[in-house]
Amino acid sequence: KFGIQVGLDELFPASYAAALYISTKYPAIKKAFVIGSQGVMDELAAHGIDSVGGPTPEYSQNFIHTEADFSAVELDKEIGAVVCGWDLGFNFSKLATASLYLQKGCLFVGTNGDAYDRLSDRNIPGNGCLLKALETSIGKEAEVVGKPSQWLIDHLIQSNNLDPKRTIMIGDRLDTDIAFGKKGGTATALVLTGCTSPSDLHNQASPVPEEMMPTYVLPSLGSIYSMARTELPPPPPTFLAVDDEAPPG
Amino acid sequence: KFGIQVGLDELFPASYAAALYISTKYPAIKKAFVIGSQGVMDELAAHGIDSVGGPTPEYSQNFIHTEADFSAVELDKEIGAVVCGWDLGFNFSKLATASLYLQKGCLFVGTNGDAYDRLSDRNIPGNGCLLKALETSIGKEAEVVGKPSQWLIDHLIQSNNLDPKRTIMIGDRLDTDIAFGKKGGTATALVLTGCTSPSDLHNQASPVPEEMMPTYVLPSLGSIYSMARTELPPPPPTFLAVDDEAPPG
């Protein structure tokens, strides 16, 4: 659509970040309990990490109906991490099982912390809601490895040999996309066709913090053409990442 | 067991508090969406409030499998409140539906905010986890009407013609039971057979705040006999409420 060729190895969803984080920082962990989609389990598998939970039939319905059921939950000793991603199949039994693994000291990784996503005139609860439930159950916070984690931007810049001065981060959210680019020292461009409106940018009651203020604001993604021709110094910038989420509505 | 006769009208579970709160403060609300058990729905019905959600078959399994399913969720215009209580059948679809009602401006009531309950050597996620998920999805906090709400202790004292000076609140949690009694100006007694250990009471790293410090500490509930005989001035105290939860493990 935009004439930009993107290979599979140039897309970095948060599930990839989670799998990469565990496999590089905690190589001894070979099995995880997952709240999340099949995509999370696939990314873990691609990084040599087996997983249970997610959308598998055993976990698709609540199986804890009584306190006795809870007490009878058997834990798999090989599991060393809990990965929490967005999960339309989230339920109490997954929450309770993940909480038990965390009580045993498993690594606690969140793919992202978005409170909600916008779908036309409705907000659908995001992974931030599921993470908060799990965090509340153990009184500890997850390590969120997707945007805007410092770990991920450092990794992307190093592994792709990017020069931050010649790189621009484009996205539709101030608190994830723009904050992410700024942590990496890249230029940033906010597109207004997603989660953020001009009034969010100029809200006097809650001004945008400096670490989330974009370098450029674009009415739409298409504006990058004219911007690349006129506003940035040559050579043209490297495109680090367009937001990995589908546009709303 | 203790020789204390308790009638049904002398037990005040958090679900009762929620139903009473809505029916007295918001009498125009006649229908609610429930995250919670059948007990919550029964209490609402007893106060003239119809409800959907809870453990009914339509909501017992996830029915939102795609973003299109979410966009197609139809809201019932008669529903004026969301009540969130502990729910072993909690799932994403209930969370998303409750969030939609709250986005439309429905009253938001939580029965209690307990992060977890102790079951032998395991903590099971409590209603506080479900509440946090829902609160995160809309960026607003619920009105928690169970212990330790000021509204509930005021109501119990007034409606039962209790004299706080002759009343003692007995319970096993500092942040709910003891804080609750202190808000009502009653004496308080902590029993050590539940959630709280002597080391919690004397933790120098996180000292117990004054508003949660009990008047008396009892090794067990049975100690109230000797306490009533020896330590409190006559006449013997009125017993306001023994903790309404089953003892753990």
Side-chain angles (χ1 to χ4, degrees):
Chain A
K1 192 168 170 192
F2 288 105
I4 302 174
Q5 300 295 323
V6 181
L8 265 183
D9 58 349
E10 296 174 288
L11 288 171
F12 308 105
S15 52
Y16 165 86
L20 187 73
Y21 180 79
I22 297 172
S23 61
T24 55
K25 283 196 69 170
Y26 301 91
I29 295 177
K30 294 296 178 199
K31 197 169 184 182
F33 183 82
V34 168
I35 291 173
S37 63
Q38 187 62 44
V40 175
M41 300 182 86
D42 290 347
E43 286 287 359
L44 289 168
H47 288 79
I49 303 165
D50 198 8
S51 61
V52 296
T56 58
E58 307 96 283
Y59 291 94
S60 293
Q61 292 186 30
N62 277 305
F63 52 85
I64 297 172
H65 305 291
T66 64
E67 295 183 349
D69 290 341
F70 175 74
S71 298
V73 170
E74 287 187 26
L75 300 183
D76 179 341
K77 286 189 176 131
E78 291 180 9
I79 286 178
V82 169
V83 178
C84 179
W86 195 54
D87 191 345
L88 286 169
F90 185 69
N91 60 36
F92 187 91
S93 298
K94 283 192 213 181
L95 168 66
T97 306
S99 178
L100 284 172
Y101 281 112
L102 294 173
Q103 290 170 42
K104 291 282 182 190
C106 280
L107 180 70
F108 185 12
V109 173
T111 60
N112 76 85
D114 296 348
Y116 53 80
D117 280 292
R118 189 98 185 133
L119 291 175
S120 59
D121 67 336
R122 296 175 160 189
N123 291 337
I124 186 167
N127 190 44
C129 302
L130 315 185
L131 262 186
K132 277 285 180 205
L134 195 45
E135 289 175 344
T136 301
S137 78
I138 57 159
K140 281 186 199 163
E141 293 194 356
E143 297 179 61
V144 176
V145 296
K147 294 176 296 182
S149 89
Q150 187 75 51
W151 171 83
L152 182 58
I153 188 73
D154 291 346
H155 169 82
L156 289 177
I157 286 175
Q158 284 159 25
S159 63
N160 293 279
N161 282 315
L162 298 180
D163 175 1
K165 291 196 177 58
R166 290 187 55 212
T167 304
I168 186 164
M169 172 69 199
I170 303 173
D172 70 334
R173 283 176 185 258
L174 298 172
D175 57 346
T176 51
D177 301 327
I178 304 305
F180 186 60
K182 296 198 90 156
K183 279 187 185 170
T186 75
T188 55
L190 179 78
V191 291
L192 292 175
T193 45
C195 279
T196 310
S197 67
S199 61
D200 294 330
L201 274 179
H202 305 289
N203 185 342
Q204 300 218 333
S206 73
V208 176
E210 174 53 31
E211 66 270 21
M212 297 182 193
M213 183 60 82
T215 322
Y216 305 99
V217 178
L218 305 178
S220 73
L221 195 51
S223 320
I224 56 173
Y225 285 110
S226 53
M227 187 181 87
R229 275 200 304 272
T230 61
E231 294 187 39
L232 289 181
T238 306
F239 291 98
L240 170 58
V242 172
D243 191 13
D244 55 40
E245 288 163 48
Chain B
K1 192 167 169 192
F2 288 105
I4 302 175
Q5 300 295 321
V6 180
L8 265 184
D9 58 349
E10 295 174 289
L11 288 170
F12 308 107
S15 53
Y16 166 85
L20 187 73
Y21 181 79
I22 297 172
S23 62
T24 54
K25 284 197 68 170
Y26 301 91
I29 295 177
K30 293 298 178 198
K31 196 169 185 182
F33 183 82
V34 167
I35 292 173
S37 64
Q38 187 62 44
V40 175
M41 299 182 87
D42 291 347
E43 286 288 359
L44 288 169
H47 288 79
I49 302 165
D50 199 8
S51 61
V52 296
T56 57
E58 308 96 283
Y59 292 93
S60 293
Q61 292 187 28
N62 277 306
F63 52 85
I64 297 172
H65 304 291
T66 64
E67 295 183 349
D69 291 343
F70 174 73
S71 298
V73 170
E74 287 186 27
L75 299 183
D76 179 340
K77 287 190 174 127
E78 291 180 10
I79 286 178
V82 168
V83 178
C84 180
W86 196 54
D87 191 346
L88 285 169
F90 185 69
N91 60 35
F92 187 91
S93 298
K94 282 192 213 181
L95 168 65
T97 306
S99 178
L100 284 173
Y101 281 113
L102 295 174
Q103 290 171 42
K104 292 281 183 190
C106 281
L107 181 70
F108 187 10
V109 173
T111 59
N112 76 86
D114 295 349
Y116 54 81
D117 280 292
R118 189 98 187 133
L119 291 176
S120 59
D121 66 337
R122 296 175 160 190
N123 291 336
I124 187 166
N127 190 44
C129 302
L130 315 186
L131 261 187
K132 276 286 181 206
L134 195 46
E135 289 175 344
T136 301
S137 78
I138 58 158
K140 280 185 200 165
E141 292 194 357
E143 297 179 61
V144 176
V145 297
K147 293 177 294 182
S149 90
Q150 187 75 53
W151 171 81
L152 182 59
I153 188 73
D154 290 347
H155 168 83
L156 289 176
I157 286 175
Q158 284 160 25
S159 62
N160 292 282
N161 281 316
L162 298 180
D163 175 0
K165 292 195 175 60
R166 289 189 55 214
T167 304
I168 187 164
M169 173 69 200
I170 304 172
D172 70 335
R173 283 176 184 256
L174 297 172
D175 57 346
T176 51
D177 301 327
I178 303 306
F180 186 62
K182 296 198 90 155
K183 279 185 185 171
T186 74
T188 56
L190 179 78
V191 291
L192 293 175
T193 44
C195 280
T196 311
S197 67
S199 61
D200 295 329
L201 273 180
H202 304 288
N203 185 341
Q204 300 219 332
S206 71
V208 176
E210 173 54 31
E211 66 269 22
M212 299 182 192
M213 184 60 83
T215 323
Y216 305 98
V217 179
L218 306 178
S220 73
L221 196 50
S223 320
I224 56 173
Y225 285 110
S226 54
M227 188 181 85
R229 275 199 305 270
T230 60
E231 294 187 37
L232 288 180
T238 306
F239 291 98
L240 170 57
V242 171
D243 191 13
D244 53 41
E245 287 162 49

